[in-house]
Amino acid sequence: MGVEEQRAGKFYVERDVLDELCLDQVARRRTHSTTPPLKERVKDSLRCSMPKLKRSVLSTFPVLSWLPRYSVRDNGLGDLISGISVGIMHLPQGMAYALLASVPPVFGLYTSFYPVLVYCILGTSRHISIGTFAVISIMIGSVTERLAPDSDFTFLNGTNGTAGLDVTARDAYRVQIAASTTVLSGLFQVLLGMVRFGFVVTYLSEPLVRGYTTGAATHVVVSQLKYIFGIHPARFSGPLSQVYILIDICRHLPETNIGALVVSLVALLVLIVVKELNSCYEKKLPLPIPIELIVIIAATLISYYGNLNSQYDVAVVGEIPRGLKSPSLPDVSLWGTVVGDAFAVAIVGYAINISLGKTFGLKHGYKVDSNQELVALGLSNTVGGFFQCYSVTSSMSRSLIQESTGGRTQVAGVVSSVIVLITVLQLGTLFEELPKAVLSCIVFVNLKGMFKQYLDIPALWKSNPVDLLVWLVTLVCTILLNLDLGLAASIAFSLLTVIFRTQLPRYSILGQVPGTELYLDTDTYEEAKEIPGITIFRSSTTVYYTNAELYLDALQKKSGIDIGKLLTRKKKRDAKQKRKDKKEEKKAKKEAKKQNGVNGHLPNGTVHPEDKVDVEKGSPDLKGNRTDIALTDRPTNGQVNWAYEQQWTRLDLGSETGSHGDDAITQTSSTVGEEQRGRSSDIDTHTIILDLSTASFVDTVTVMMLNNIFRDYREIDIDIYLAGCQVCVVEQLSRASFFSESIPKSRLFTTVHDAVLHSLRLQGASDVPIYECTLDMACTTKM
């Protein structure tokens, strides 16, 4: 082996053909693993040292790694401005999204305070803004409304006999349900993070997440229509509930509150116009116009001085208690009822959080630890649940504001929490006259980004129809089956698409590009030519139990060799030949006895010496006859390539032709020769090379299939070689006792080209091509 440098830009490579055994010697395969044994790893994980303790503390509390090095001069002003901007956004969004969770608006402000502080200590992302989010809020709202419907809190007014609604008791129970669900979902996240299960989010592909959030946005819109129109539709749950709600809303449209509708239209118009101006002049404005806060203040003033609630029956936020709630234990008895919803909230919240966090991490060049993020988000929810908060995750709109206004660390989150705290302690009561319709309008406008995800449809149609199918199925399932069942059905469908893709791979016959060692799909590349006598077969995916049978069928179809028919025909021919041999042997014995009885004895009963020689050695003519029959059925090398038998016709030999002796043998031999020449022109495969370079693992079914391929094709005298196996695949084959005397490791080659050269040498090729390559990748062949 060697590399001989010729001149700049050219080189010649000449090496021996490498099978697996030769490769182990040349590359000096390690005899032991570099990975420490499990016992040593367990000991190392339990061993304590100061450096290890320091790393553990810093990874658990990331704030300790950046806060001591925090530069007020470099980051202080940006974090301050960013925190104030995000805090102003927290106020309207917190109260608005609380309506989605079906809890009083003040609990949205609590949710924008406690979890944010916890994440600042434990989180690894510097730019995301934790707090209320529409999708998570609507998921919590579906639980609270299902377990605490209005019908459970109605009472009969004894004065006038009308039915009333105990709003205070209903809201208190809904807050309890939301807090219990939040604590449980937080515990799920913490446990998954502690067992390093952050990769679970990989099962939620981007098309699935985007389709799910788009479907959830539809739920949000439907849930807020009652505030826009000022009506009171019935509540429905279960599959198709959104359809029933829409039908009921249409039925109640004649009861629309004109005052609520006018407030909604005006608020929508102002919000949309100003937000579009913010987008158009984003680069010119130092800070975006806080139109949401302006609209809230203006609507509160108009509602207060215009008496919209008393005169026009416009629903308002109502009483907002001053101060913070004391912590309380969640109702553990509810966990059995909400366990499925809590797990769905935990997974969806983490998926949104980590996708946004990694986006900012890649943009600004720092690492976001997926497992630590899971723990940080889980503890934010767990601690928040004890203070009557509901589940949180990162918000794209607030995170973009936090980044664009100069925020560089989570100090901005602390500043935003201070803004919320001041509002809760001193300014909360000022928003008691705020119309709920305005909060619904704020929710609508902030869903713009989610509804723009419908533009994914044409993009996915052009790039990947399967991903488009996942997106559409997720959207439909989320809308029709509700958020919990919709998520489960979407994940199941997404995994099924992966299975179907592995079950329907692309099978190819490879051909050599002339003058190179490249082997490409002959259906794709015109210059890729099959090598006569050699079939190179490749699957585009890993072969395992679900597609092993398909792999075998495709191999027979692509190679044109029906192994089942050939083996059956060979067995019949062998049985027939065996019967003929026995028949000829009996006949020969009978002829010998006959000759012995007529000519083989002298009158005194002794045997003539010349005839004795004939008896011992056999009749020269008869022996020649038997030998020629054997040669007729088998070539002189003692093997028959049964792949040639696809076009064979049954031959009448020996007694079936009614002739004996040299004439019959000559006729039979010429017939076999003619048929051999005829069928060789149709099928002349002597070698099949299986390119396993795409395989990442092999299972028991695959090993059994490969064993069967070697065994069956050996029966019809076709050589089978494996090529391009990764090290892990070779190790798995060895552990499965795949290699043996009948299938040695010398049947496994490093590349397809090595296997081809080996096969050609066995077939008598004496020249080995050498490729002369230049830097422009033009290659020529030298023999």
Side-chain angles (χ1 to χ4, degrees):
M1 176 182 295
V3 178
E4 180 185 356
E5 185 174 342
Q6 301 296 318
R7 62 181 182 273
K10 289 187 177 182
F11 63 90
Y12 294 99
V13 178
E14 184 178 354
R15 64 172 176 83
D16 296 330
V17 173
L18 294 178
D19 58 26
E20 188 64 26
L21 294 175
C22 296
L23 179 65
D24 290 347
Q25 296 176 1
V26 171
R28 294 168 56 186
R29 184 185 181 91
R30 299 181 188 273
T31 57
H32 61 278
S33 175
T34 57
T35 303
L38 178 61
K39 183 178 180 181
E40 293 297 327
R41 282 181 284 171
V42 172
K43 285 183 177 180
D44 184 65
S45 64
L46 297 178
R47 192 176 292 117
C48 185
S49 62
M50 287 304 297
K52 187 175 180 180
L53 179 62
K54 181 179 178 181
R55 288 196 304 270
S56 179
V57 171
L58 292 180
S59 62
T60 304
F61 300 97
V63 66
L64 298 178
S65 63
W66 59 266
L67 187 59
R69 300 194 302 268
Y70 183 81
S71 174
V72 178
R73 182 177 181 181
D74 295 335
N75 303 327
L77 182 60
D79 286 339
L80 179 63
I81 296 175
S82 175
I84 294 174
S85 302
V86 173
I88 291 174
M89 291 187 67
H90 266 303
L91 301 179
Q93 289 187 2
M95 291 189 289
Y97 292 157
L99 296 182
L100 298 179
S102 298
V103 296
V106 68
F107 290 92
L109 297 179
Y110 298 154
T111 305
S112 300
F113 174 67
Y114 292 106
V116 176
L117 294 177
V118 176
Y119 184 83
C120 290
I121 299 173
L122 301 173
T124 59
S125 175
R126 305 172 190 171
H127 294 88
I128 62 174
S129 174
I130 292 293
T132 56
F133 187 63
V135 174
I136 301 300
S137 299
I138 194 65
M139 294 179 74
I140 294 295
S142 65
V143 181
T144 56
E145 290 190 3
R146 184 182 75 242
L147 299 182
D150 291 343
S151 57
D152 290 354
F153 299 93
T154 57
F155 61 91
L156 187 63
N157 193 332
T159 305
N160 51 18
T162 59
L165 178 64
D166 190 350
V167 177
T168 303
R170 181 202 64 184
D171 289 346
Y173 190 50
R174 286 182 176 180
V175 169
Q176 192 175 10
I177 295 171
S180 298
T181 306
T182 299
V183 171
L184 184 57
S185 67
L187 291 177
F188 278 135
Q189 291 170 332
V190 171
L191 291 176
L192 291 176
M194 292 178 65
V195 298
R196 321 300 291 176
F197 212 64
F199 69 89
V200 69
V201 75
T202 58
Y203 291 100
L204 302 179
S205 64
E206 184 177 358
L208 187 147
V209 172
R210 293 175 71 87
Y212 184 79
T213 53
T214 306
T218 305
H219 281 260
V220 172
V221 170
V222 173
S223 68
Q224 296 303 294
L225 289 177
K226 60 183 179 181
Y227 298 112
I228 298 293
F229 293 101
I231 57 179
H232 303 282
R235 187 196 172 277
F236 299 89
S237 60
L240 300 179
S241 61
Q242 299 302 300
V243 178
Y244 299 143
I245 292 174
L246 281 176
I247 294 174
D248 197 56
I249 288 175
C250 293
R251 188 182 297 118
H252 285 79
L253 283 180
E255 306 171 5
T256 299
N257 186 309
I258 302 300
L261 183 60
V262 170
V263 170
S264 301
L265 293 177
V266 173
L268 278 175
L269 179 62
V270 174
L271 287 169
I272 292 174
V273 170
V274 177
K275 278 188 171 288
E276 289 300 319
L277 290 176
N278 281 338
S279 300
C280 293
Y281 298 98
E282 179 181 2
K283 296 182 180 180
K284 296 182 179 180
L285 293 174
L287 292 174
I289 302 173
I291 187 58
E292 295 170 335
L293 184 61
I294 294 174
V295 167
I296 282 181
I297 295 174
T300 303
L301 293 175
I302 294 174
S303 175
Y304 177 77
Y305 289 106
N307 295 322
L308 297 183
N309 178 247
S310 58
Q311 293 191 10
Y312 302 99
D313 198 23
V314 175
V316 295
V317 169
E319 181 182 0
I320 297 179
R322 178 175 295 181
L324 298 172
K325 290 283 185 178
S326 58
S328 62
L329 293 176
D331 189 353
V332 181
S333 62
L334 294 172
W335 283 3
T337 308
V338 301
V339 60
D341 302 282
F343 188 77
V345 169
I347 297 300
V348 174
Y350 173 64
I352 296 171
N353 187 78
I354 194 63
S355 61
L356 198 58
K358 287 194 171 183
T359 299
F360 286 114
L362 290 174
K363 182 177 180 180
H364 295 277
Y366 61 88
K367 182 181 178 182
V368 176
D369 188 342
S370 58
N371 292 303
Q372 180 60 28
E373 283 294 298
L374 199 51
V375 173
L377 189 63
L379 286 176
S380 297
N381 283 322
T382 303
V383 173
F386 283 96
F387 290 92
Q388 288 80 52
C389 302
Y390 60 89
S391 293
V392 297
T393 189
S394 57
S395 167
M396 179 176 292
S397 59
R398 292 195 306 270
S399 299
L400 290 174
I401 292 298
Q402 181 166 323
E403 183 217 17
S404 62
T405 53
R408 296 184 179 181
T409 67
Q410 282 299 332
V411 171
V414 177
V415 175
S416 68
S417 297
V418 172
I419 300 296
V420 174
L421 178 62
I422 293 174
T423 303
V424 170
L425 295 179
Q426 300 296 331
L427 306 178
T429 56
L430 299 179
F431 296 105
E432 292 181 353
E433 292 297 322
L434 173 64
K436 290 184 177 181
V438 174
L439 296 177
S440 298
C441 293
I442 293 174
V443 172
F444 277 8
V445 173
N446 284 307
L447 292 176
K448 175 186 174 182
M450 292 187 186
F451 284 116
K452 286 180 68 175
Q453 293 177 158
Y454 278 104
L455 297 176
D456 292 350
I457 295 177
L460 291 175
W461 173 260
K462 295 178 181 178
S463 62
N464 196 318
V466 176
D467 284 344
L468 173 61
L469 188 61
V470 171
W471 196 98
L472 292 175
V473 169
T474 302
L475 175 70
V476 174
C477 290
T478 304
I479 293 176
L480 297 183
L481 301 180
N482 280 351
L483 298 173
D484 48 358
L485 294 178
L487 178 63
S490 302
I491 294 175
F493 181 80
S494 180
L495 294 178
L496 284 177
T497 61
V498 176
I499 296 174
F500 288 148
R501 289 191 205 187
T502 59
Q503 283 190 310
L504 300 173
R506 181 173 181 175
Y507 298 106
S508 307
I509 294 294
L510 305 184
Q512 184 189 30
V513 179
T516 71
E517 76 285 2
L518 302 177
Y519 293 85
L520 306 176
D521 185 3
T522 55
D523 292 335
T524 304
Y525 298 92
E526 295 180 358
E527 291 299 320
K529 307 297 182 183
E530 293 187 51
I531 300 175
I534 299 178
T535 298
I536 306 171
F537 181 73
R538 182 176 67 190
S539 170
S540 62
T541 189
T542 296
V543 184
Y544 65 114
Y545 71 95
T546 63
N547 59 10
E549 190 69 27
L550 299 175
Y551 182 89
L552 188 58
D553 294 341
L555 173 61
Q556 297 185 38
K557 182 178 179 181
K558 289 282 187 179
S559 64
I561 300 175
D562 192 331
I563 188 67
K565 290 183 179 179
L566 288 179
L567 290 175
T568 302
R569 189 170 297 171
K570 180 179 181 296
K571 290 179 181 178
K572 291 181 179 179
R573 288 180 59 82
D574 287 345
K576 184 177 180 180
Q577 185 61 38
K578 189 175 182 180
R579 291 194 300 268
K580 289 180 180 179
D581 289 343
K582 289 183 178 179
K583 188 175 181 180
E584 291 295 334
E585 185 178 354
K586 291 179 181 179
K587 189 174 182 179
K589 290 181 180 180
K590 188 181 294 184
E591 290 291 337
K593 288 180 181 180
K594 184 177 179 181
Q595 290 183 7
N596 289 339
V598 176
N599 303 319
H601 296 273
L602 295 175
N604 59 2
T606 61
V607 180
H608 193 282
E610 295 179 359
D611 291 340
K612 184 177 181 179
V613 174
D614 290 340
V615 172
E616 292 176 355
K617 297 182 179 180
S619 173
D621 293 339
L622 191 58
K623 179 181 177 182
N625 188 13
R626 289 200 302 273
T627 304
D628 287 343
I629 290 175
L631 290 175
T632 297
D633 199 47
R634 287 183 173 85
T636 56
N637 62 2
Q639 292 184 342
V640 176
N641 188 334
W642 287 96
Y644 297 157
E645 300 300 311
Q646 297 259 40
Q647 308 295 329
W648 274 39
T649 57
R650 301 190 177 187
L651 303 177
D652 295 326
L653 302 175
S655 60
E656 292 186 10
T657 62
S659 303
H660 299 282
D662 293 339
D663 294 339
I665 296 167
T666 302
Q667 180 181 358
T668 302
S669 299
S670 62
T671 303
V672 173
E674 291 173 2
E675 297 216 6
Q676 178 76 17
R677 289 189 297 270
R679 63 179 177 273
S680 295
S681 62
D682 292 336
I683 300 177
D684 57 354
T685 302
H686 56 74
T687 300
I688 293 179
I689 299 173
L690 304 180
D691 182 2
L692 299 182
S693 58
T694 58
S696 58
F697 68 92
V698 289
D699 58 5
T700 305
V701 176
T702 304
V703 174
M704 293 175 59
M705 180 201 68
L706 292 175
N707 269 309
N708 293 337
I709 289 176
F710 273 88
R711 181 198 63 202
D712 294 341
Y713 283 89
R714 187 188 308 117
E715 291 290 327
I716 59 174
D717 299 317
I718 293 181
D719 293 328
I720 301 293
Y721 299 108
L722 306 181
C725 293
Q726 302 181 45
V727 175
C728 59
V729 174
V730 178
E731 292 175 349
Q732 291 167 9
L733 290 174
S734 299
R735 286 197 298 268
S737 302
F738 173 75
F739 299 109
S740 60
E741 292 184 2
S742 58
I743 310 177
K745 273 194 174 183
S746 57
R747 294 273 180 171
L748 175 59
F749 288 88
T750 307
T751 66
V752 172
H753 191 56
D754 288 299
V756 170
L757 293 180
H758 176 78
S759 176
L760 292 177
R761 282 175 174 170
L762 288 183
Q763 299 302 317
S766 58
D767 295 327
V768 180
I770 300 175
Y771 302 102
E772 178 183 345
C773 299
T774 59
L775 291 180
D776 58 359
M777 300 304 293
C779 299
T780 58
T781 306
K782 291 194 173 185
M783 303 296 292

